[in-house]
Amino acid sequence: MKPDIDYTLYLCTDRQLMTTETIEESVELAIQGGVTVVQLREKECTSREFYEMAKAVKTITDAYEVPLIINDRIDIALAVGADGVHLGQKDIPVGVARDLLGADKIVGATANTVELAKEAWHAGADYLGAGDVFGTTTKSDTKHITLDDLKAIRDAVEIPVVAIGGVNEENIALLKPTGVDGAAVISAVVGQKDITAAAEKLISNFQEA
């Protein structure tokens, strides 16, 4: 059965930015701070390395009963029994991913326009990542969207929407009026000296906004 996911604080991993020795420690500390979803997003590795990493991270997410989403790689998601995948605009289409993964897995999609959001929703996406909202240093091919754009996307679909792109402790509260279901973060959590405290602060600032 497909899990019921809380998207409040959606963590994307990045070994290049993390302040811990291992990715498992980074993920565990983040979950202890309240991260509600983990996406394994590691570009600089072989397929075998990604598979081994996914297995290791899944032991952590399973222990805390937090969903594990794999970025791009449907094969890795299937191989380790992850909860689902997240797909960009250049990846396999949402409908194809749904056919491969079945009805019980999560399929997320990136959308930066209302048209793309509706397309992904109708193709079977379970949630959307919408951005780049505040600017990001982890991706070079993003398109900036305004908070008004973000609200328009949120209002156009009937699935959860997560804001992505440069979200941090100072600006996360600005997302609240758009009605989004949560925020995706990377450096604002894994790049901090105290990962757990950083996650706690982000959630607090978002919920109290």
Side-chain angles (χ1 to χ4, degrees), residues 22-185:
T22 68
I23 193 167
E24 297 98 306
E25 183 184 2
S26 179
V27 167
E28 184 164 21
L29 289 171
I31 291 173
Q32 288 173 353
V35 159
T36 56
V37 186
V38 174
Q39 180 192 134
L40 187 62
R41 179 183 176 273
E42 300 293 336
K43 300 289 188 178
E44 305 300 322
C45 61
T46 66
S47 293
R48 182 59 175 265
E49 288 170 336
F50 197 23
Y51 167 71
E52 296 294 347
M53 203 183 313
K55 283 202 306 180
V57 169
K58 191 171 184 294
T59 64
I60 304 299
T61 55
D62 282 356
Y64 288 89
E65 298 184 343
V66 168
L68 174 63
I69 305 295
I70 304 296
N71 187 53
D72 298 347
R73 299 290 299 271
I74 295 172
D75 55 337
I76 300 294
L78 287 168
V80 302
D83 294 283
V85 296
H86 184 86
L87 304 169
Q89 289 298 322
K90 297 178 182 178
D91 296 323
I92 286 177
V94 168
V96 175
R98 172 62 67 210
D99 290 341
L100 291 170
L101 289 167
D104 293 337
K105 295 294 186 182
I106 300 294
V107 177
T110 298
N112 53 31
T113 67
V114 167
E115 291 72 26
L116 289 173
K118 287 181 176 179
E119 181 182 319
W121 169 37
H122 291 305
D126 294 291
Y127 75 91
L128 301 174
D132 162 25
V133 183
F134 297 119
T136 177
T137 59
T138 59
K139 293 187 73 175
S140 60
D141 58 347
T142 60
K143 175 187 174 183
H144 173 67
I145 67 172
T146 67
L147 291 172
D148 287 339
D149 294 333
L150 184 61
K151 186 177 188 306
I153 290 170
R154 168 61 284 173
D155 291 345
V157 297
E158 296 177 12
I159 54 176
V161 175
V162 177
I164 60 176
V167 178
N168 59 38
E169 180 183 313
E170 284 73 37
N171 60 31
I172 193 169
L174 299 176
L175 299 173
K176 201 67 173 180
T178 69
V180 292
D181 300 84
V185 293

